[in-house]
Amino acid sequence: MIQEFSVQNFLSFKGKQTISFLATSDKSYLDELTVEVKPGVRLLRMAMIYGSNASGKSNLLQAIQALWSMLFSPQKEEHKNIGMYQPFALCNGEPTRFEATFWANGRRFRYELEYNSNDVLYEKMYYSTDSDVLSLMYERRKGEIVKFGGTLGIKAKERDKLLANTLDNHTLLSTFNKINVNVAIMKELYDWIKTKVHELGVFNNGRKIAEQAENDLDLKRLIIELLNAADFNISDFQLIPIQTFDEANTEMWNNETLNESTKNRQFKPTKQILFTHQAGSATFSISWGMESAGTRVYFRLARLLFELNHNDCIFMEDELDGSLHYDLLIHYLQTYLQVPSHSQLLFTTHNQMLLDEDWMIRRDMVWFTEKDKESASTSLYSASEMGLHKNVSLLNAYRIGKLGAKPLLGSTLLSSEKL
């Protein structure tokens, strides 16, 4: 779980901006919305990002994903540019900086990273021991010898192998993607990122989700249950093989010079999802492409929910509320929050009704992005920092502009003389 994340010089973020998942002293919905990772330390299970268009909401998600990508994905070529280097437009050439405190498998980690288009300039990783004291895992600065912590217990042979395969343009930990090195705590962390931290849009392929559901009855039951709760009249779904032959394909199929295996590879049947709908005592089928956008979105989100509730994962979603009715969105979020887990869901939204504090919300889980007029850079702040009295409606305060992060629209009268 993420405790805190900071970004500097990445996309619309110029100066250092920080988002925190540490729960404040607010006692609201402690069991549903927070997890106690150690006595006295509670982390939020969910955070919502608000802001006007082009204010930097999506860029925050991209920044967090960039950090995990840098820790997980190595470069194969020594002189290849770092794709995650996307600096603020007016600071091109200056380094990007990330900082993060997070918890994995009951341990606390603290990480700092600085890089430019060509090189990792600096990185430093701490990890907690059984007493929750942070110990150095490694510290690496470009042009200097890598320093490993004394508690790491790395052997000389393993150290040399690790360093020999760590290129200047990727992180030390990502080297585990290329080689097998026996350094227990580092391998543990690498595997946690690999299995528990999911990239944006990881469950965007409906057919793959259906394939997974065919092999996992619990997943299929959850998807159908959620679709039914959304009143989509769907009682089942299955993958149906399809094969379309046009004239050219038919001619190739009848070509006697091609062997059978070549034909089978070329014309391997594709599959489509077919939904079974129940209308009273009658049933009928609708293909994936003919279903509504809301049904397809909810199908994908059901897969995400299964992972959240079963595997203690971190997920980020850009505009989670897209194509969903407000009541359906609330039902989905409450379904997630009612099942205890160490998962986190961070999402952007334009749905102001989610700020209604009657449904299950804490002010420390609401964050805003706002772009400065003069510098064009994004600032990031929480609703809990705004000093609103507890009896003042968060929803109304946002609507009337007390919290910022809203578009300044001006007059509806256009200035063009032709209008």
Side-chain angles (χ1 to χ4, degrees), residues 333-379:
L333 294 175
Q334 288 180 330
T335 302
Y336 159 54
L337 294 171
Q338 294 292 355
V339 178
S341 73
H342 282 65
S343 289
Q344 279 181 320
L345 176 62
L346 172 62
F347 63 92
T348 67
T349 180
H350 290 289
N351 195 323
Q352 296 182 27
M353 289 305 297
L354 288 178
L355 296 174
D356 186 344
E357 294 169 273
D358 290 336
W359 73 272
M360 191 185 293
I361 190 176
R362 294 167 53 97
R363 294 186 177 185
D364 51 7
M365 61 182 269
V366 179
W367 287 79
F368 302 100
T369 57
E370 191 161 52
K371 188 172 285 188
D372 183 82
K373 268 188 171 184
E374 300 298 323
S375 67
S377 63
T378 296
S379 59

Side-chain angles (χ1 to χ4, degrees), residues 274-340:
L274 207 60
F275 292 91
T276 301
H277 286 249
Q278 191 79 33
S281 59
T283 62
F284 58 95
S285 297
I286 297 180
S287 67
W288 170 266
M290 296 301 293
E291 288 287 358
S292 71
T295 300
R296 296 196 298 268
V297 167
Y298 216 52
F299 184 84
R300 183 180 65 80
L301 290 180
R303 176 64 185 92
L304 187 152
L305 180 64
F306 183 84
E307 204 71 20
L308 284 169
N309 285 350
H310 288 81
N311 292 318
D312 292 340
C313 296
I314 296 175
F315 276 95
M316 298 182 294
E317 281 291 315
D318 204 2
E319 298 189 12
L320 180 75
D321 52 312
S323 300
L324 295 182
H325 188 278
Y326 171 72
D327 291 343
L328 186 56
L329 179 61
I330 290 294
H331 179 271
Y332 178 85
L333 294 175
Q334 288 180 330
T335 302
Y336 159 54
L337 294 171
Q338 294 292 355
V339 178

Side-chain angles (χ1 to χ4, degrees), residues 107-119:
R107 292 183 185 273
R108 179 163 56 107
F109 293 85
R110 174 73 183 169
Y111 183 62
E112 302 172 24
L113 174 65
E114 182 177 323
Y115 66 97
N116 58 25
S117 61
N118 301 309
D119 302 301

Side-chain angles (χ1 to χ4, degrees), residues 82-131:
I82 299 175
M84 294 296 109
Y85 181 68
Q86 301 177 64
F88 185 73
L90 300 178
C91 298
N92 192 22
E94 298 179 21
T96 290
R97 297 181 179 89
F98 295 136
E99 296 176 20
T101 300
F102 58 96
W103 294 74
N105 298 332
R107 292 183 185 273
R108 179 163 56 107
F109 293 85
R110 174 73 183 169
Y111 183 62
E112 302 172 24
L113 174 65
E114 182 177 323
Y115 66 97
N116 58 25
S117 61
N118 301 309
D119 302 301
V120 170
L121 304 174
Y122 180 77
E123 58 173 331
K124 190 175 187 179
M125 180 77 77
Y126 289 96
Y127 70 103
S128 66
T129 59
D130 293 337
S131 60

Side-chain angles (χ1 to χ4, degrees), residues 182-316:
N182 186 23
V183 186
I185 187 63
M186 296 182 72
K187 185 65 164 60
E188 176 187 319
L189 175 57
Y190 174 81
D191 289 342
W192 178 83
I193 296 173
K194 178 180 179 180
T195 58
K196 301 298 185 180
V197 181
H198 295 282
E199 62 183 8
L200 284 162
V202 65
F203 294 131
N204 271 345
N205 190 312
R207 189 176 63 186
K208 287 185 178 179
I209 295 173
E211 289 173 349
Q212 293 165 355
E214 282 187 333
N215 298 312
D216 190 330
L217 293 180
D218 290 334
L219 172 58
K220 186 166 186 177
R221 277 194 290 266
L222 174 66
I223 293 175
I224 293 174
E225 181 180 345
L226 279 182
L227 292 177
N228 279 326
D231 197 23
F232 289 136
N233 301 109
I234 294 174
S235 59
D236 197 6
F237 64 89
Q238 53 189 319
L239 281 170
I240 304 297
I242 58 172
Q243 178 68 71
T244 303
F245 281 89
D246 58 22
E247 185 176 345
N249 288 339
T250 303
E251 182 179 347
M252 184 177 294
W253 180 260
N254 293 328
N255 187 341
E256 296 181 356
T257 63
L258 296 177
N259 60 43
E260 200 69 21
S261 61
T262 301
K263 291 180 181 180
N264 288 335
R265 286 197 303 271
Q266 182 70 28
F267 299 102
K268 183 180 180 180
T270 58
K271 294 182 178 181
Q272 68 170 344
I273 309 174
L274 207 60
F275 292 91
T276 301
H277 286 249
Q278 191 79 33
S281 59
T283 62
F284 58 95
S285 297
I286 297 180
S287 67
W288 170 266
M290 296 301 293
E291 288 287 358
S292 71
T295 300
R296 296 196 298 268
V297 167
Y298 216 52
F299 184 84
R300 183 180 65 80
L301 290 180
R303 176 64 185 92
L304 187 152
L305 180 64
F306 183 84
E307 204 71 20
L308 284 169
N309 285 350
H310 288 81
N311 292 318
D312 292 340
C313 296
I314 296 175
F315 276 95
M316 298 182 294

